[in-house]
Amino acid sequence: MIIYFSGTGSTKYIAEKLATALDEEAISIESLNEENIFEIELANKEYFGILMPVYAYRLPKYVKNYLSKLIIKNRASYNFALFTYGGTTLNIKPFLDDALKDFKLDAYYKLIMPDTYTPMYPLKDNIALKKLEENVENDIKILIDKIKSKEDINQIKSKMPYAINKIFSNICYATISRTRPFKVSDNCISCSICANNCPDHAIKMEDGKPQWIIKSCDMCLRCFHHCPTNAIDYGFMTKDKIRYKHYYNLLKK
């Protein structure tokens, strides 16, 4: 069993690739949460993987909240985590260990992907993205081999103490999670894709336009990257920047 959270599609893409290679099922944490599934039975499972992107050097809030309710019964033969990231993972491992409580993992992997936090790290041109994605395909093959070998491995190594990492990530999250800078241009076609697909339910359509109705969110930027007319921006920082639509389409209509 592979469970995953994916903001813009990259982590879903990897989850599906792993599930196929390992003969397992890939299930989104969003669907598990929406269906009120908070108990997982791993008896007779060969693999159990938890996949997620790194947000503000820690777990996405959505993932943390779900895992805090999750009861995992028994163990698979091999239990692992995979963090996708654009810049650095810092010391994210203890965040996941805390969320999983008494459930211990056998391995922790990381995989670099295009950084989709466009307000701070604008995406490069499409040629550079294509090259990075080609490298990712090779990295996934190496990852699959390691998982099949059931290696006891921890790729999340950082000299930053967990306590310092928590303080640092809290400051970062408070800074980047504010929804107030979101704005919508006249290119909006009132399709409601952003509101229908926000994992935090932070968006409500009012008079045919999206409005952000909570003060902070996970800042996955799904709304920004997947708007069909590029009508959504985050202040002036994303103006005319490349949107990331290179992987699986996550969207509900």
Side-chain angles (χ1 to χ4, degrees):
M1 174 183 285
I2 307 292
I3 66 172
Y4 67 89
F5 176 82
S6 188
T8 55
S10 297
T11 307
K12 177 180 179 180
Y13 178 77
I14 298 168
E16 297 282 2
K17 296 276 278 192
L18 292 187
T20 299
L22 301 174
D23 194 24
E24 293 285 352
E25 181 182 12
I27 309 171
S28 78
I29 290 175
E30 285 179 70
S31 65
L32 291 171
N33 189 49
E34 289 170 3
E35 294 169 20
N36 293 313
I37 299 174
F38 297 107
E39 186 175 298
I40 292 176
E41 173 60 69
L42 296 181
N44 303 317
K45 292 287 186 183
E46 189 70 17
Y47 300 98
F48 175 59
I50 306 174
L51 280 61
M52 72 199 76
V54 176
Y55 287 172
Y57 314 111
R58 64 180 186 179
L59 310 185
K61 181 176 65 175
Y62 194 99
V63 174
K64 179 184 177 183
N65 291 342
Y66 178 75
L67 293 180
S68 70
K69 306 172 190 174
L70 181 64
I71 298 171
I72 303 175
K73 291 190 171 182
N74 298 301
R75 294 178 60 79
S77 177
Y78 187 65
N79 308 270
F80 67 93
L82 171 66
F83 300 100
T84 58
Y85 70 104
T88 177
T89 62
L90 285 185
N91 193 15
I92 195 172
K93 176 180 175 292
F95 287 90
L96 180 56
D97 290 341
D98 282 355
L100 290 174
K101 301 177 278 293
D102 295 329
F103 187 84
K104 306 300 181 186
L105 296 170
D106 301 305
Y108 301 81
Y109 297 98
K110 63 180 180 180
L111 189 64
I112 192 164
M113 300 292 289
D115 196 326
T116 56
Y117 187 63
T118 308
M120 288 184 65
Y121 307 106
L123 289 163
K124 298 177 182 179
D125 59 71
N126 286 315
I127 295 175
L129 279 174
K130 183 175 177 58
K131 179 63 177 176
L132 178 55
E133 289 174 352
E134 289 172 356
N135 293 337
V136 166
E137 293 302 322
N138 185 59
D139 291 340
I140 293 174
K141 291 178 182 178
I142 294 171
L143 173 66
I144 289 170
D145 288 341
K146 288 182 180 295
I147 293 172
K148 286 184 173 181
S149 298
K150 298 183 179 177
E151 294 189 21
D152 183 1
I153 187 171
N154 175 23
Q155 295 181 341
I156 313 300
K157 297 179 180 178
S158 173
K159 294 181 179 180
M160 180 177 285
Y162 180 35
I164 302 299
N165 200 148
K166 287 179 73 173
I167 294 171
F168 182 58
S169 66
N170 285 341
I171 293 171
C172 289
Y173 180 77
T175 302
I176 71 168
S177 65
R178 296 179 299 113
T179 60
R180 187 174 180 179
F182 277 114
K183 61 181 183 179
V184 183
S185 75
D186 291 338
N187 290 335
C188 177
I189 56 174
S190 304
C191 66
S192 301
I193 285 177
C194 55
N196 292 341
N197 288 275
C198 176
D200 288 331
H201 302 290
I203 304 171
K204 180 180 179 181
M205 298 300 290
E206 295 181 0
D207 298 324
K209 303 293 182 184
Q211 300 293 324
W212 281 259
I213 57 174
I214 59 177
K215 292 182 179 180
S216 66
C217 67
D218 250 329
M219 206 54 60
C220 69
L221 293 181
R222 187 182 296 174
C223 58
F224 165 77
H225 286 288
H226 288 290
C227 174
T229 60
N230 296 343
I232 296 174
D233 273 302
Y234 192 72
F236 65 89
M237 295 178 284
T238 60
K239 184 69 174 175
D240 299 324
K241 298 296 190 298
I242 293 175
R243 269 67 169 171
Y244 191 69
K245 302 175 182 178
H246 290 247
Y247 278 117
Y248 267 99
N249 194 327
L250 294 170
L251 306 182
K252 297 176 287 187
K253 299 299 182 183

mmCIF file of all heavy atoms in Angstrom, residues 20-21 27 61 71 118 124 135 152 215 242:
data_model
loop_
_atom_site.group_PDB
_atom_site.id
_atom_site.type_symbol
_atom_site.label_atom_id
_atom_site.label_comp_id
_atom_site.label_asym_id
_atom_site.label_seq_id
_atom_site.Cartn_x
_atom_site.Cartn_y
_atom_site.Cartn_z
ATOM 1 N N THR A 20 2.993 0.608 -9.248
ATOM 2 C CA THR A 20 3.060 -0.318 -10.385
ATOM 3 C C THR A 20 4.248 -1.259 -10.256
ATOM 4 O O THR A 20 4.124 -2.483 -10.437
ATOM 5 C CB THR A 20 3.155 0.470 -11.701
ATOM 6 O OG1 THR A 20 1.991 1.286 -11.861
ATOM 7 C CG2 THR A 20 3.269 -0.478 -12.897
ATOM 8 N N ALA A 21 5.412 -0.689 -9.900
ATOM 9 C CA ALA A 21 6.630 -1.498 -9.808
ATOM 10 C C ALA A 21 6.581 -2.481 -8.650
ATOM 11 O O ALA A 21 7.159 -3.575 -8.726
ATOM 12 C CB ALA A 21 7.843 -0.581 -9.664
ATOM 13 N N ILE A 27 -2.934 5.265 -3.005
ATOM 14 C CA ILE A 27 -4.153 5.928 -2.545
ATOM 15 C C ILE A 27 -3.787 7.304 -1.999
ATOM 16 O O ILE A 27 -2.856 7.432 -1.195
ATOM 17 C CB ILE A 27 -4.851 5.122 -1.429
ATOM 18 C CG1 ILE A 27 -5.040 3.665 -1.843
ATOM 19 C CG2 ILE A 27 -6.188 5.752 -1.059
ATOM 20 C CD1 ILE A 27 -5.529 2.775 -0.720
ATOM 21 N N LYS A 61 0.726 20.490 6.442
ATOM 22 C CA LYS A 61 -0.233 20.484 7.544
ATOM 23 C C LYS A 61 -1.323 19.441 7.312
ATOM 24 O O LYS A 61 -1.766 18.781 8.264
ATOM 25 C CB LYS A 61 -0.844 21.885 7.694
ATOM 26 C CG LYS A 61 -1.846 22.022 8.827
ATOM 27 C CD LYS A 61 -2.328 23.464 8.952
ATOM 28 C CE LYS A 61 -3.109 23.894 7.729
ATOM 29 N NZ LYS A 61 -3.694 25.247 7.862
ATOM 30 N N ILE A 71 -4.755 5.208 12.561
ATOM 31 C CA ILE A 71 -4.363 4.016 13.314
ATOM 32 C C ILE A 71 -3.834 2.995 12.312
ATOM 33 O O ILE A 71 -4.540 2.598 11.383
ATOM 34 C CB ILE A 71 -5.556 3.420 14.089
ATOM 35 C CG1 ILE A 71 -6.074 4.436 15.113
ATOM 36 C CG2 ILE A 71 -5.167 2.118 14.764
ATOM 37 C CD1 ILE A 71 -7.379 4.015 15.776
ATOM 38 N N THR A 118 6.593 28.871 -6.306
ATOM 39 C CA THR A 118 6.965 29.900 -7.277
ATOM 40 C C THR A 118 7.193 31.288 -6.675
ATOM 41 O O THR A 118 8.031 32.037 -7.199
ATOM 42 C CB THR A 118 5.911 29.957 -8.394
ATOM 43 O OG1 THR A 118 5.710 28.638 -8.905
ATOM 44 C CG2 THR A 118 6.346 30.874 -9.532
ATOM 45 N N LYS A 124 12.282 27.316 -13.764
ATOM 46 C CA LYS A 124 13.114 27.631 -14.907
ATOM 47 C C LYS A 124 12.317 27.424 -16.186
ATOM 48 O O LYS A 124 11.147 27.063 -16.169
ATOM 49 C CB LYS A 124 14.365 26.752 -14.879
ATOM 50 C CG LYS A 124 15.234 26.976 -13.635
ATOM 51 C CD LYS A 124 16.415 26.037 -13.617
ATOM 52 C CE LYS A 124 17.243 26.247 -12.350
ATOM 53 N NZ LYS A 124 18.402 25.318 -12.284
ATOM 54 N N ASN A 135 16.031 13.397 -15.548
ATOM 55 C CA ASN A 135 16.860 12.920 -14.449
ATOM 56 C C ASN A 135 16.007 12.215 -13.394
ATOM 57 O O ASN A 135 16.433 11.223 -12.799
ATOM 58 C CB ASN A 135 17.623 14.077 -13.810
ATOM 59 C CG ASN A 135 18.659 14.679 -14.737
ATOM 60 O OD1 ASN A 135 19.126 14.010 -15.671
ATOM 61 N ND2 ASN A 135 19.024 15.924 -14.505
ATOM 62 N N ASP A 152 17.699 -0.875 4.723
ATOM 63 C CA ASP A 152 17.519 -0.095 5.953
ATOM 64 C C ASP A 152 18.345 1.169 5.788
ATOM 65 O O ASP A 152 19.564 1.166 5.988
ATOM 66 C CB ASP A 152 17.992 -0.911 7.156
ATOM 67 C CG ASP A 152 17.767 -0.175 8.471
ATOM 68 O OD1 ASP A 152 17.228 0.949 8.435
ATOM 69 O OD2 ASP A 152 18.144 -0.707 9.528
ATOM 70 N N LYS A 215 -7.346 32.424 6.626
ATOM 71 C CA LYS A 215 -6.175 33.302 6.641
ATOM 72 C C LYS A 215 -4.892 32.612 6.198
ATOM 73 O O LYS A 215 -3.967 33.266 5.719
ATOM 74 C CB LYS A 215 -5.987 33.891 8.040
ATOM 75 C CG LYS A 215 -7.083 34.876 8.441
ATOM 76 C CD LYS A 215 -6.812 35.469 9.816
ATOM 77 C CE LYS A 215 -7.892 36.476 10.190
ATOM 78 N NZ LYS A 215 -7.636 37.068 11.543
ATOM 79 N N ILE A 242 6.247 30.792 -14.860
ATOM 80 C CA ILE A 242 5.818 29.507 -15.410
ATOM 81 C C ILE A 242 4.985 28.733 -14.401
ATOM 82 O O ILE A 242 5.316 28.670 -13.219
ATOM 83 C CB ILE A 242 7.046 28.665 -15.824
ATOM 84 C CG1 ILE A 242 7.763 29.341 -17.006
ATOM 85 C CG2 ILE A 242 6.639 27.241 -16.211
ATOM 86 C CD1 ILE A 242 9.049 28.640 -17.409
#
